[in-house]
Amino acid sequence: MNIPAPAWPVFQLHRGHAPLLISLPHDGSMIPDEFSARMVESARHAPDTDWHVSRLYDFARELGASILVPRYSRYVVDLNRPPDDTSLYPGQNTTGLCPAVQFSGEAVYLDGQAPDEAEVAQRVELYWRPYHETLVAELDRIRGEHGRALLWEGHSIRGEVPFLFDGRLPDLSLGTAAGHSCQPATQARLEAVLAGQGEYDWVANGRFKGGYITRHYGDPSIEVEAVQLELSQRNYMDEDSFAYDDAKAAKLQPLLRALLQAALDSQRG
């Protein structure tokens, strides 16, 4: 089948002046009607969205960061998966390029309604590729202006997701592709910030080592570093209603600001 072109721009880009690009690939929650009509009721609400991360990171504009935010849900296409859908976590439960399974383990689609290979390829061209082309162009612009760039991948997830993980997830999970996507000094700066606060528990390169974007674009040898931060949603929102919690968010944001400032400091020597 031929799917229609997106009715709305697939992303929004705020262009800043600092050597920092924040990518929020799972912030989008829109699902076109032609896709949602084929989904089970629970999936139509896009429950696996990284809810409100663009709102949480909005202060980063004050730091001069560029911010790239998608409009459409990961259920349309997952921007943080490789276009050939190679598994990032072989042997473990996970979700794919055009997910057929929710984080709950439930199906996304009604019986027989999941996209076939041809439709997945179309979704990649219409929704995935424009985001990545813009991400690359913005990294190139930043590196051209500053000589280097840092890509910050902002993510969030429910604190407990039994289908995917055992037990309670840490409050903050730092991922650097096991140290390959950024300079050791950059990771050390970020870990020092995390270690210096006592409110939130954290881990580096645990279950979340960085997805496709971190692993693919982070290349310190060409002065492009990449870092992923996965946040537990319990620390800034209500996980059941998906409502933003201003008080919780205001408590978390100073730590996020300190981490971004440390990332910027690493780019400035």
Side-chain angles (χ1 to χ4, degrees):
M1 65 175 290
N2 288 318
I3 61 176
W8 301 92
V10 298
F11 61 83
Q12 293 180 320
L13 172 65
H14 166 76
R15 184 166 286 134
H17 58 77
L20 174 63
L21 170 60
I22 299 174
S23 165
L24 306 173
H26 295 149
D27 180 85
S29 60
M30 183 179 290
I31 302 174
D33 291 343
E34 59 268 22
F35 300 154
S36 65
R38 296 155 51 193
M39 295 179 176
V40 301
E41 179 62 28
S42 59
R44 294 171 187 169
H45 303 289
D48 300 331
T49 301
D50 290 13
W51 295 104
H52 310 297
V53 287
S54 57
R55 181 174 179 180
L56 192 67
Y57 276 101
D58 192 59
F59 70 86
R61 296 168 183 250
E62 301 168 11
L63 301 177
S66 295
I67 306 175
L68 182 60
V69 185
R71 184 182 300 272
Y72 291 92
S73 168
R74 70 193 302 159
Y75 285 176
V76 176
V77 69
D78 192 328
L79 299 169
N80 201 29
R81 296 291 185 272
D84 63 2
D85 206 16
T86 300
S87 177
L88 297 173
Y89 300 99
Q92 300 181 28
N93 283 347
T94 186
T95 57
L97 179 62
C98 289
V101 180
Q102 302 178 49
F103 287 0
S104 64
E106 301 172 82
V108 171
Y109 291 92
L110 299 166
D111 289 345
Q113 295 298 309
D116 60 17
E117 186 175 329
E119 182 180 340
V120 170
Q122 290 181 65
R123 293 193 193 188
V124 167
E125 289 303 313
L126 292 173
Y127 294 91
W128 188 97
R129 200 165 303 285
Y131 188 91
H132 283 262
E133 288 174 348
T134 298
L135 189 153
V136 170
E138 185 63 8
L139 285 176
D140 287 346
R141 182 192 69 79
I142 291 171
R143 188 172 55 163
E145 289 187 9
H146 300 277
R148 58 196 309 171
L150 189 139
L151 172 61
W152 185 275
E153 275 285 293
H155 294 263
S156 74
I157 193 170
R158 289 181 69 95
E160 295 186 21
V161 190
F163 176 68
L164 298 178
F165 320 104
D166 294 329
R168 173 187 179 278
L169 291 170
D171 293 328
L172 298 96
S173 295
L174 188 70
T176 63
H180 296 292
S181 65
C182 73
Q183 296 286 357
T186 300
Q187 182 167 330
R189 282 180 186 265
L190 296 171
E191 290 188 3
V193 172
L194 292 167
Q197 56 81 41
E199 183 67 30
Y200 303 99
D201 57 51
W202 64 279
V203 67
N205 291 309
R207 176 59 177 82
F208 298 103
K209 295 179 173 61
Y212 172 77
I213 292 176
T214 299
R215 302 183 198 188
H216 184 73
Y217 296 112
D219 186 352
S221 70
I222 60 170
E223 303 297 343
V224 176
E225 300 182 72
V227 172
Q228 176 177 295
L229 184 67
E230 188 86 43
L231 301 171
S232 188
Q233 291 176 346
R234 61 175 172 265
N235 292 308
Y236 72 90
M237 59 176 277
D238 181 87
E239 293 181 312
D240 294 323
S241 69
F242 305 145
Y244 191 77
D245 187 316
D246 289 289
K248 286 183 178 180
K251 187 176 180 181
L252 177 61
Q253 283 173 319
L255 176 55
L256 297 181
R257 181 184 285 269
L259 287 167
L260 292 182
Q261 188 61 61
L264 279 170
D265 291 344
S266 73
Q267 299 305 291
R268 293 165 176 160

